[in-house]
Amino acid sequence: MMKKFIIFTIIAAVLSGLFFGCRTIQPELAKAYSDRGRNELIFDNYKGAIEDFTKAIEFNPEDTDLYVGRGLAYLKNGDNEAAKSDFDKAISLDPSMEKILKPLLSPAQTTSR
Amino acid sequence: MCYLKRSVVTMFFALVFFIFCSVEVQAQAFPEPNCVREDGTPCFGGGTGPREPSPRPESNTNISIRHFNAGYEYEKAGNWTAAENEYRMAIQYYPDWGGYHFKLAYMLEKQGRYNEAIQSYKQKIALNPRDSTTYNSIGVILFNNLGRWEEAEKWFLAAHQRNPTDSLARDNLILTVKRIRQKVSDNTFNRAIDLMEKGERAKAESLWRKQLLVNPNDAGAWKNLGVTLAGQGRWLAAEAALREAVQLDPSNIRGLRIIMESAERGNALKELMAANEQGLMATKELNMEAMRGRAMSCFDFNEDATKTIRCAYSKDSSATIAFFAPRATSQLITGAPPELKKYPKFIELAKENKRLEKDYGEACDALQKLLKRKDSGQVSTGMTDVLVAEQKQKLSAIKNEKDFNEVKIQESYVDLGFRPPK
């Protein structure tokens, strides 16, 4: 009797784990937030952009563009360390981004006269 | 890891359920006495003694159910006030059942008492914090009835977090995020119109350009950008912008014709030539304007001073690359007299120039890669446009810095009594 109960419990645990899943990717939600984050970035609301891209990343953590967007927002907001971290993540997901993103982090970025 | 956590939690609940069942079984094994023998000792079932009379008063639970049922009948009949009263009574007798609070909130919502409804929904949440429906309901009131979209978004998000499979909450969240985004765009549009009316054309232009970066297919923004540019006498760029507007919405053809037929139109080339005479920077600026308008005026530069100007309408991104191609300035350094090459200030500036050229080369390379990426349509969320704008801005910054550095180098020539080369 006890043995049956334990087997039943294990099966129930495995099935519930499979059913509920851990973190489901929600591309539509990610896009809604990333589109708005992009707007915030364009209209110079960097904090809003960071928040939106962060939410978008929660819903789709494998999208390179989301790290690029948040990295840009961090960069514009003066947080170079966070920007670098996001750009590094973007590069790890898509190595072809290295030559595109690397120049943005160079010091000449801020020295416009 | 997460699956493991969930499995452990599920096993815990299963264990609790098991213990609960055991207790239940024990309770059945030792039932409550339900009769009393003649000698006063308790007995079970078919005892011989007389049964105790059982005139039980109606329990609070039953009273609450009665009020709830009455409320439901009123609700079906559309009598929200009476239903509200019944649901309130039900809550009075059984305040711990979330469903009563939900029903009361719904009745208050029906009567337009939105803030009270939200409070009732919150009470429901206090009793059932995992129920996504209630979070969603609060979001709906805030969004539809109170116009507090930002707050609504938080509630929809909370609903989604509690139940990611709740498609209603998810769709509401997406809709809200999109609407808020649109609202920002609409506000920008109106702000830009205000600035145009006040004659603050440069500021208006900047907003139109941002608006177009957000939505390159906004015919109205293209048209207004054209008008703003025309107001500043920048006819070429104005014409380019209006061409875009016409392409998206042919009804703008009249505006384009006005620009083209304008007497000022004839001055456009003169304007460009004059800028050219004044030096490369001015021309660059003009070219930037034309290209920002996505008309991508194609200009051919030759190395020394841009004698030839060829203007055509094209969306070819290679025009942008051509525009940003690095300009040779090494003559100032390599052709410097030997005495100057030993001058510490010159040495420092030459070093700086080298660094800037390297940065510029890298940024140009990055821009080229980006434009190729854009042409191939690799990017889904439109970050390429933002990155292109960013890289262009960076290139301009480096160019400016390089120009400034060149002026300093020329000054160092003068310091030692040499005449800098042109």
Side-chain angles (χ1 to χ4, degrees), chain A residues 24-36 52 55-60 66, chain B residues 153 156-157 160-161 164 166 169-175 177-178:
Chain A
T24 45
I25 290 177
Q26 302 264 8
E28 284 181 341
L29 264 172
K31 187 171 181 336
Y33 275 111
S34 100
D35 283 352
R36 196 175 66 180
D52 278 346
K55 283 203 189 92
I57 287 168
E58 276 173 33
F59 292 122
N60 192 0
L66 304 178
Chain B
E153 183 191 328
F156 291 138
L157 182 63
H160 176 77
Q161 282 166 341
D166 184 341
R170 191 201 56 209
D171 291 348
N172 282 337
L173 179 58
I174 292 174
L175 177 77
V177 173
K178 283 184 179 172

Side-chain angles (χ1 to χ4, degrees), chain A residues 22 36 38 44 65 103 106 111, chain B residues 2 153 210 379 382 394 401:
Chain A
C22 284
R36 196 175 66 180
R38 184 176 172 275
D44 307 328
D65 266 8
S106 65
T111 51
Chain B
C2 185
E153 183 191 328
K210 286 183 175 182
V379 184
K394 184 179 169 64
E401 205 171 345

Side-chain angles (χ1 to χ4, degrees), chain B residues 275-293:
Chain B
N276 215 25
E277 292 296 313
Q278 285 163 21
L280 196 61
M281 279 309 290
T283 317
K284 267 195 290 190
E285 210 173 299
L286 260 174
N287 290 343
M288 276 290 259
E289 295 313 323
M291 270 180 290
R292 274 180 191 156

Side-chain angles (χ1 to χ4, degrees), chain B residues 66-91 100 103-108 110-111 113:
Chain B
R66 202 157 35 78
H67 283 293
F68 176 79
N69 289 338
Y72 188 60
E73 290 305 317
Y74 281 125
E75 184 186 327
K76 278 200 290 188
N79 187 346
W80 316 128
T81 321
E84 178 204 333
N85 291 336
E86 291 297 339
Y87 289 145
R88 279 192 193 283
M89 291 301 286
I91 290 170
Y100 293 162
K103 278 289 186 187
L104 172 63
Y106 186 54
M107 288 304 97
L108 292 165
K110 285 278 183 195
Q111 294 173 69
R113 290 152 65 187

